[in-house]
Amino acid sequence: MCRWLAYSGTPVLLDTILYKPAHSLIDQSLHARMGVETTNGDGFGIGWYTQTSGIDTPAVMRDVGPAWNNRNLREIAQHVTSPLFFAHIRASTGTAVQQTNCHPFRHGRWLWMHNGSIAGFHEMRRELCVAVEPSLFPGMEGTTDSEVMFYLALTLGLEEDPPGAVARMVGLVERTGRAHGVENPMQMTVAVTDGESLWAFRYASGGGARSLYYSTRVDSLRALHPDVSFLQELSDETRLVVSEPLGDLPGAWNEVPEHSYGVVRPGDDHLRPFVPAA
Amino acid sequence: MCRWLAYSGTPVLLDTILYKPAHSLIDQSLHARMGVETTNGDGFGIGWYTQTSGIDTPAVMRDVGPAWNNRNLREIAQHVTSPLFFAHIRASTGTAVQQTNCHPFRHGRWLWMHNGSIAGFHEMRRELCVAVEPSLFPGMEGTTDSEVMFYLALTLGLEEDPPGAVARMVGLVERTGRAHGVENPMQMTVAVTDGESLWAFRYASGGGARSLYYSTRVDSLRALHPDVSFLQELSDETRLVVSEPLGDLPGAWNEVPEHSYGVVRPGDDHLRPFVPAA
Amino acid sequence: MCRWLAYSGTPVLLDTILYKPAHSLIDQSLHARMGVETTNGDGFGIGWYTQTSGIDTPAVMRDVGPAWNNRNLREIAQHVTSPLFFAHIRASTGTAVQQTNCHPFRHGRWLWMHNGSIAGFHEMRRELCVAVEPSLFPGMEGTTDSEVMFYLALTLGLEEDPPGAVARMVGLVERTGRAHGVENPMQMTVAVTDGESLWAFRYASGGGARSLYYSTRVDSLRALHPDVSFLQELSDETRLVVSEPLGDLPGAWNEVPEHSYGVVRPGDDHLRPFVPAA
Amino acid sequence: MCRWLAYSGTPVLLDTILYKPAHSLIDQSLHARMGVETTNGDGFGIGWYTQTSGIDTPAVMRDVGPAWNNRNLREIAQHVTSPLFFAHIRASTGTAVQQTNCHPFRHGRWLWMHNGSIAGFHEMRRELCVAVEPSLFPGMEGTTDSEVMFYLALTLGLEEDPPGAVARMVGLVERTGRAHGVENPMQMTVAVTDGESLWAFRYASGGGARSLYYSTRVDSLRALHPDVSFLQELSDETRLVVSEPLGDLPGAWNEVPEHSYGVVRPGDDHLRPFVPAA
């Protein structure tokens, strides 16, 4: 299992979100509270979009040691500003600790990260890999279920219809799992973005999905906490989606209901039910 | 802070001691119970003596990631047999996560490892380094208090009189600390060996030294547990000294009293009071 | 491309073979002479068999940095003795620099290493992966052509008939390549062992296979060089197979002819033609 | 020995300078032409200043593997724009391969990098370390001569008078060397910056300093090559200082004379003689 964080809104120094808050994601790499594991020290990754117009794809930095003692991560966080970024800390459930197994995964302008697992993945891996579109297959560089889920979603139309493609991917995994005798194979919170919109999913085949929270709209928070100066600097639409809450601001966090997904984008955000495709 | 383990006795596969027991040292890298930190993921090291006559110095393998996910450590443990070895898992208190800061440290036939810290070390580092014998100075490759303690002990006669040299080293650190306004600078459990005898120290300037345990003599344990087959394979004199107990055998562990040190060697072992030299 | 070395014979300290000779394999990691690349700094690996009866599988140590500056490799080499070991230094042709892409690869008692490449592998990877026996598929952890070749050979009977299985694997790769418009896909020198016999192959689909040498029988060398004391310590049957010659002993090295393979085993060794299976 | 590059001028994507040119610095990590070593694979580092007003110190990213295969370096280079940056590739002459031995070194707003060595440094290390201002001493985290040179220069007034402080540092090293029987201890090309001006030094005690080049003023180059569009985007004052020339533009490079230093800053640059202080 893992922990992750997705930010969209007013451009901020990554440090502001990754290190500064009480119980920050970096702190969670040593001391997670809501995860299955308390330690997420098997690698990490960040992906960020720049505002410079000429650059097409997000930057991705991943490394295999723990996030909490990584000096390069701290340097990047203290010197890079971004309006949209992902961060992920990993607790391996057995697969190799290597950069290509660290999240976020990237395909063109898209980033993907995942917390959870596919029960019985070891046995299903070949079958799921074979279901990936042949032209996409060579892009898979690691051995995680998370990466295969991304490539299956790409295969099933992620770039045109993210919620539909994720629903089809989950449906495929569930059918494959059941064929292998695994009744409830999917356990996931997933974040995916094309650099403009951000989709976050919370789902588990048999219920009991991993924790997921989204932040209250900044204008509402500002009304609640008129004295918190940090909130003055953020646009109304700034939004965080996280595995577990950061900081200690009352009213700041809302649970994403199980079997639902949210869309964060310019204009109104939405929260909708998530149903795997048959 | 850190956790460590020292083994002396019947040659065993390292795996038997490092991975197999319940609450093994490798398990403690993720979930220590008695340390100040529960996670010891900032590097690790092992040092072992071979029985091949032609090799003069112990082997040392150290790496910067966590022990719990290191495949090379597991390979070595499953294929190397040794009658005397050290293992250490590190939780950095701020110094860089790099091989040269991992324990055990080696000088000729000697190995040294440490759990604890020198309060105010940052300010005292220069003064303590300068006190190291100039011909030994170039051997210091890292930036930990632990390595400086080793080189000070070598400077003060470790190779001739280990308990005396450690007492002089602690005395020097305490005097230096007090000159810098630190009343109780030393917090340590230390293991040191020349490949034949093993000395283990437990001391803190103001009391409250970190935990340290030694195993009960194997012949006594065998009498207590005649049905535990593993004990049949070990010589009477086999001994473990550990930061926190392994396994779940009743009667197996005894606390090293504060301000004392033990000697493990062929023939009778000894436990003696430890007093820093004025 | 890469460089490799396989040793079988009188148990020796790995250091004797890996570091001591002029133009040693470790030296070749910085300055290869006969390879396509002069630098082989994208990871390395060693695999060795112990003589301790209780251990079933060889040890494998692999790491991602260059061999020339790796301290753990040097420590292992200076403290481990083995009668049969493989060593490999890697120059990536694009695939990720990660432990799971380093050679040797292991399956049970078997070790495999490779120098060369499959032309057009990126396009063929999916098809070749799908040809791997489903029960073996989950064992593939990396993304190299070399590992897929090993798993195809295992699929095609490596454990029963190594030369036949390698011939079938090469035949399959050549047919697959031609279906993808690659006339001469295979370029390889391969070493494989079960811990008792050692097979070494030299082959390229269109000719021009990478360099491969085997050492002259020790009794012949001893007759040539009665004054070289090192030779006195080796059994007659001790044999090295290497990508490029080590040391500077006249008469010590013989080229493995293209399109042939050698078997090193107790009793007489053999050199035979290698023909891919139709 | 090592290779390095310093850039000052029009903000560019790091990639433009680090990867794009023929015989780029990253290419030199595998195939340097003018260095003592052709391979510089023992770590690397970059340091860059951002234009965001709120950030006081430069970012530094350093890692221990070769630059040529480092994916995070490539990501940073493709997504970070800077008006002033340093890059360094390392060939260790024996000291440990660890982040804290990688250049550039940072102190506050200052960056320092070095190619060369102090002959006899091992023996002089203690004496030179002791000469570092005690309050600066704890900042030294590695074991290279390069870092000690930086801290000696800081001790001797680098922040007020860079050329004077470097002259005093070299004078001190030469006196110390001679006291240890080393007639010509210093071999160096050094770059140092405070984020506004950039100083580059070329000096060797007995002559024969390592290669160093500076780029021709962009307005002159533009006159020579009116058709090179890249030059149109650069300010007249953009300047590169490099261990060995990049690219293949005739007239682009000028050798820094031995025993001299250059200053690159807004307004006119200068080239002046360098004489160690007595």
Side-chain angles (χ1 to χ4, degrees):
Chain A
M1 307 301 159
C2 314
R3 303 278 83 184
W4 57 253
L5 169 162
Y7 177 93
S8 171
T10 300
V12 289
L13 206 56
L14 306 191
D15 185 52
T16 313
I17 305 298
L18 292 186
Y19 285 88
K20 288 276 175 64
H23 196 53
S24 72
L25 189 77
I26 304 308
D27 183 54
Q28 293 172 34
S29 68
L30 257 179
H31 304 296
R33 292 172 188 157
M34 297 179 151
V36 175
E37 284 88 13
T38 55
T39 307
N40 295 278
D42 299 320
F44 67 86
I46 52 173
W48 72 91
Y49 294 84
T50 55
Q51 298 179 283
T52 315
S53 58
I55 304 167
D56 281 343
T57 57
V60 173
M61 181 211 176
R62 304 187 289 184
D63 216 335
V64 296
W68 71 74
N69 69 27
N70 193 283
R71 293 188 175 194
N72 289 332
L73 178 60
R74 187 176 286 267
E75 291 287 320
I76 299 297
Q78 290 177 341
H79 292 88
V80 165
T81 295
S82 169
L84 177 47
F85 59 91
F86 278 16
H88 187 278
I89 52 176
R90 184 167 183 246
S92 168
T93 49
T95 45
V97 176
Q98 57 192 26
Q99 251 179 334
T100 57
N101 283 348
C102 292
H103 310 221
F105 301 99
R106 177 177 58 195
H107 179 79
R109 280 194 63 78
W110 292 76
L111 289 179
W112 172 279
M113 62 184 172
H114 167 231
N115 170 33
S117 61
I118 297 176
F121 177 66
H122 198 67
E123 287 68 39
M124 281 181 245
R125 187 178 151 213
R126 180 177 179 277
E127 198 163 335
L128 295 175
C129 284
V130 170
V132 170
E133 160 66 30
S135 67
L136 291 170
F137 188 93
M140 290 192 291
E141 292 192 297
T143 49
T144 59
D145 47 8
S146 310
E147 188 188 30
V148 175
M149 287 164 62
F150 181 31
Y151 276 80
L152 287 173
L154 285 165
T155 297
L156 298 167
L158 183 70
E159 290 163 290
E160 291 74 43
D161 170 18
V166 173
R168 287 185 287 276
M169 178 274 288
V170 174
L172 172 61
V173 169
E174 292 191 332
R175 286 193 303 280
T176 308
R178 280 156 200 163
H180 283 262
V182 180
E183 193 53 34
N184 293 310
M186 182 58 86
Q187 171 60 261
M188 73 176 207
T189 66
V190 159
V192 59
T193 182
D194 61 357
E196 296 184 356
S197 299
L198 157 65
W199 295 263
F201 301 81
R202 184 179 182 213
Y203 177 79
S205 299
R210 297 285 171 264
S211 60
L212 194 65
Y213 294 82
Y214 63 97
S215 61
T216 301
R217 266 185 73 93
V218 169
D219 43 8
S220 310
L221 271 180
R222 219 184 278 124
L224 266 174
H225 302 284
D227 50 329
V228 175
S229 62
F230 174 64
L231 295 172
Q232 309 302 324
E233 301 159 22
L234 299 180
S235 72
D236 290 356
E237 297 188 341
T238 294
R239 189 81 77 178
L240 271 161
V241 187
V242 297
S243 293
E244 47 190 89
L246 321 178
D248 43 21
L249 206 59
W253 298 101
N254 315 278
E255 197 174 15
V256 175
E258 285 209 56
H259 297 197
S260 63
Y261 73 94
V263 194
V264 177
R265 56 165 49 120
D268 279 347
D269 298 345
H270 297 284
L271 200 54
R272 299 212 169 102
F274 176 79
V275 184
Chain B
M1 307 300 157
C2 314
R3 302 277 85 184
W4 58 254
L5 169 162
Y7 177 93
S8 170
T10 300
V12 289
L13 208 54
L14 305 192
D15 185 52
T16 314
I17 304 298
L18 292 186
Y19 286 87
K20 288 276 172 66
H23 196 53
S24 72
L25 189 76
I26 304 307
D27 183 55
Q28 293 172 34
S29 68
L30 257 179
H31 304 295
R33 293 173 187 156
M34 297 178 151
V36 175
E37 284 88 14
T38 55
T39 308
N40 296 278
D42 299 319
F44 67 87
I46 52 172
W48 71 91
Y49 295 83
T50 56
Q51 298 180 283
T52 316
S53 57
I55 302 167
D56 283 341
T57 57
V60 173
M61 181 211 177
R62 304 186 290 184
D63 216 336
V64 296
W68 71 74
N69 69 28
N70 193 284
R71 295 187 173 193
N72 289 332
L73 177 61
R74 187 176 287 267
E75 291 288 319
I76 298 296
Q78 289 177 342
H79 293 88
V80 165
T81 295
S82 169
L84 176 49
F85 58 93
F86 279 15
H88 187 276
I89 52 176
R90 184 167 182 245
S92 168
T93 50
T95 45
V97 176
Q98 58 192 24
Q99 252 179 333
T100 56
N101 283 348
C102 292
H103 311 221
F105 301 98
R106 176 177 58 194
H107 179 80
R109 281 193 64 77
W110 292 76
L111 289 179
W112 171 279
M113 61 184 171
H114 168 230
N115 169 32
S117 62
I118 296 177
F121 177 65
H122 198 65
E123 286 68 38
M124 280 181 249
R125 188 179 151 214
R126 180 176 179 277
E127 198 164 336
L128 294 175
C129 285
V130 170
V132 169
E133 160 66 30
S135 66
L136 292 169
F137 188 94
M140 290 193 290
E141 291 192 299
T143 49
T144 59
D145 47 8
S146 310
E147 189 189 29
V148 175
M149 286 163 64
F150 181 30
Y151 276 81
L152 287 173
L154 285 164
T155 297
L156 298 168
L158 183 71
E159 289 164 289
E160 291 75 41
D161 169 19
V166 173
R168 285 186 288 274
M169 178 273 288
V170 174
L172 172 62
V173 169
E174 293 191 331
R175 285 193 304 278
T176 307
R178 282 158 199 162
H180 283 261
V182 180
E183 192 54 32
N184 293 311
M186 182 58 86
Q187 171 60 261
M188 74 178 207
T189 66
V190 159
V192 59
T193 181
D194 61 356
E196 297 184 355
S197 300
L198 157 64
W199 295 263
F201 300 81
R202 184 180 182 211
Y203 178 79
S205 298
R210 298 284 171 265
S211 60
L212 194 64
Y213 293 83
Y214 64 98
S215 61
T216 301
R217 266 184 73 94
V218 170
D219 42 9
S220 311
L221 270 180
R222 219 184 276 122
L224 267 173
H225 303 283
D227 50 329
V228 175
S229 62
F230 174 62
L231 294 173
Q232 309 302 323
E233 301 160 23
L234 298 180
S235 71
D236 291 356
E237 297 189 340
T238 294
R239 188 81 79 177
L240 270 163
V241 187
V242 298
S243 293
E244 47 190 89
L246 321 177
D248 43 21
L249 205 59
W253 298 101
N254 315 278
E255 196 174 14
V256 175
E258 284 208 55
H259 297 198
S260 63
Y261 72 95
V263 194
V264 178
R265 57 165 50 120
D268 280 346
D269 298 346
H270 298 285
L271 199 54
R272 299 212 169 104
F274 176 78
V275 184
Chain C
M1 308 303 158
C2 313
R3 304 277 84 185
W4 57 254
L5 170 161
Y7 177 93
S8 171
T10 301
V12 289
L13 206 56
L14 305 192
D15 185 52
T16 314
I17 304 298
L18 291 186
Y19 286 88
K20 288 276 174 65
H23 196 54
S24 72
L25 189 76
I26 303 308
D27 183 53
Q28 292 172 34
S29 68
L30 257 179
H31 303 295
R33 293 173 187 156
M34 297 179 153
V36 175
E37 285 87 14
T38 55
T39 307
N40 296 278
D42 299 320
F44 67 88
I46 53 174
W48 73 92
Y49 295 84
T50 56
Q51 298 180 282
T52 316
S53 58
I55 304 167
D56 281 344
T57 58
V60 172
M61 180 212 177
R62 305 186 289 184
D63 215 335
V64 296
W68 71 75
N69 70 27
N70 193 284
R71 293 188 174 194
N72 289 333
L73 178 60
R74 187 177 288 266
E75 291 288 319
I76 299 298
Q78 290 177 341
H79 293 87
V80 165
T81 294
S82 170
L84 177 49
F85 58 92
F86 278 15
H88 187 277
I89 52 177
R90 183 167 184 246
S92 168
T93 49
T95 44
V97 176
Q98 57 192 24
Q99 252 179 333
T100 56
N101 283 348
C102 291
H103 310 221
F105 301 99
R106 176 177 60 194
H107 179 79
R109 281 194 62 78
W110 293 75
L111 290 179
W112 172 279
M113 62 183 171
H114 168 231
N115 169 34
S117 61
I118 297 177
F121 177 65
H122 198 68
E123 288 68 38
M124 281 181 246
R125 187 178 151 212
R126 179 177 179 278
E127 199 164 335
L128 295 175
C129 285
V130 169
V132 169
E133 160 66 30
S135 66
L136 291 171
F137 188 93
M140 291 192 290
E141 292 193 298
T143 49
T144 60
D145 47 7
S146 310
E147 188 189 29
V148 175
M149 288 163 62
F150 181 31
Y151 276 80
L152 287 173
L154 285 164
T155 297
L156 299 167
L158 184 70
E159 290 164 290
E160 291 74 43
D161 169 18
V166 173
R168 287 185 286 276
M169 177 273 288
V170 173
L172 172 62
V173 170
E174 292 191 332
R175 286 193 303 278
T176 307
R178 281 158 200 163
H180 283 261
V182 180
E183 193 53 34
N184 293 310
M186 183 58 87
Q187 172 61 260
M188 73 176 207
T189 66
V190 159
V192 59
T193 182
D194 61 357
E196 296 183 356
S197 300
L198 157 65
W199 295 264
F201 301 82
R202 184 179 182 212
Y203 178 79
S205 299
R210 298 284 172 262
S211 60
L212 194 65
Y213 294 82
Y214 64 97
S215 61
T216 301
R217 266 185 73 93
V218 169
D219 43 7
S220 310
L221 271 180
R222 219 184 277 124
L224 266 173
H225 303 283
D227 50 330
V228 175
S229 62
F230 174 63
L231 295 172
Q232 308 303 324
E233 300 160 23
L234 299 180
S235 72
D236 290 357
E237 296 188 343
T238 294
R239 188 81 79 178
L240 271 162
V241 187
V242 297
S243 293
E244 46 191 270
L246 320 178
D248 43 20
L249 206 59
W253 298 101
N254 315 278
E255 196 174 15
V256 175
E258 285 209 55
H259 296 198
S260 64
Y261 73 96
V263 194
V264 177
R265 57 164 50 119
D268 279 347
D269 299 344
H270 297 284
L271 199 54
R272 298 209 170 105
F274 176 79
V275 184
Chain D
M1 307 302 157
C2 315
R3 303 277 84 182
W4 57 254
L5 169 162
Y7 177 93
S8 170
T10 299
V12 290
L13 208 55
L14 305 191
D15 185 52
T16 314
I17 304 297
L18 292 186
Y19 286 87
K20 289 276 173 66
H23 196 53
S24 72
L25 189 76
I26 304 308
D27 183 55
Q28 293 171 34
S29 68
L30 257 178
H31 303 296
R33 293 172 187 156
M34 297 179 153
V36 175
E37 285 87 14
T38 56
T39 308
N40 296 278
D42 299 320
F44 67 87
I46 52 172
W48 72 91
Y49 294 83
T50 56
Q51 298 181 282
T52 316
S53 57
I55 304 167
D56 281 342
T57 57
V60 173
M61 181 211 178
R62 304 185 291 184
D63 216 336
V64 296
W68 72 74
N69 69 26
N70 194 283
R71 293 187 174 195
N72 289 332
L73 178 60
R74 187 177 288 266
E75 291 288 320
I76 299 296
Q78 288 177 343
H79 292 87
V80 165
T81 295
S82 170
L84 177 48
F85 58 93
F86 279 15
H88 187 277
I89 52 177
R90 184 168 182 244
S92 168
T93 49
T95 44
V97 176
Q98 57 192 25
Q99 252 178 334
T100 56
N101 284 348
C102 291
H103 311 220
F105 301 98
R106 177 177 58 195
H107 180 80
R109 281 194 63 77
W110 292 76
L111 290 179
W112 171 279
M113 62 184 171
H114 168 231
N115 169 32
S117 62
I118 297 177
F121 177 65
H122 199 67
E123 286 69 38
M124 279 181 250
R125 187 178 151 214
R126 179 175 179 278
E127 199 164 333
L128 295 175
C129 285
V130 170
V132 169
E133 160 65 31
S135 66
L136 291 170
F137 188 94
M140 290 192 291
E141 291 193 298
T143 49
T144 59
D145 47 8
S146 310
E147 189 189 29
V148 175
M149 286 163 62
F150 181 30
Y151 276 81
L152 286 173
L154 285 165
T155 297
L156 299 168
L158 184 71
E159 289 164 290
E160 290 74 42
D161 169 19
V166 173
R168 286 186 286 275
M169 177 274 288
V170 174
L172 173 62
V173 170
E174 292 192 331
R175 285 193 303 277
T176 307
R178 283 160 198 161
H180 283 261
V182 180
E183 192 55 32
N184 294 310
M186 182 58 86
Q187 171 62 261
M188 73 177 208
T189 67
V190 159
V192 59
T193 182
D194 61 357
E196 297 184 355
S197 300
L198 157 64
W199 295 263
F201 300 82
R202 184 179 183 213
Y203 178 79
S205 298
R210 299 283 173 265
S211 60
L212 194 65
Y213 294 82
Y214 63 97
S215 62
T216 302
R217 267 185 74 92
V218 169
D219 43 7
S220 309
L221 270 180
R222 219 183 276 125
L224 267 173
H225 303 284
D227 51 328
V228 175
S229 62
F230 174 62
L231 294 173
Q232 309 302 325
E233 301 160 21
L234 298 180
S235 71
D236 291 356
E237 297 188 341
T238 295
R239 188 81 78 176
L240 272 162
V241 187
V242 296
S243 293
E244 46 190 91
L246 321 177
D248 42 21
L249 206 59
W253 299 101
N254 315 277
E255 196 174 14
V256 175
E258 284 208 55
H259 298 196
S260 64
Y261 73 94
V263 193
V264 178
R265 57 164 50 118
D268 279 347
D269 298 346
H270 297 283
L271 200 53
R272 299 212 169 104
F274 176 77
V275 184

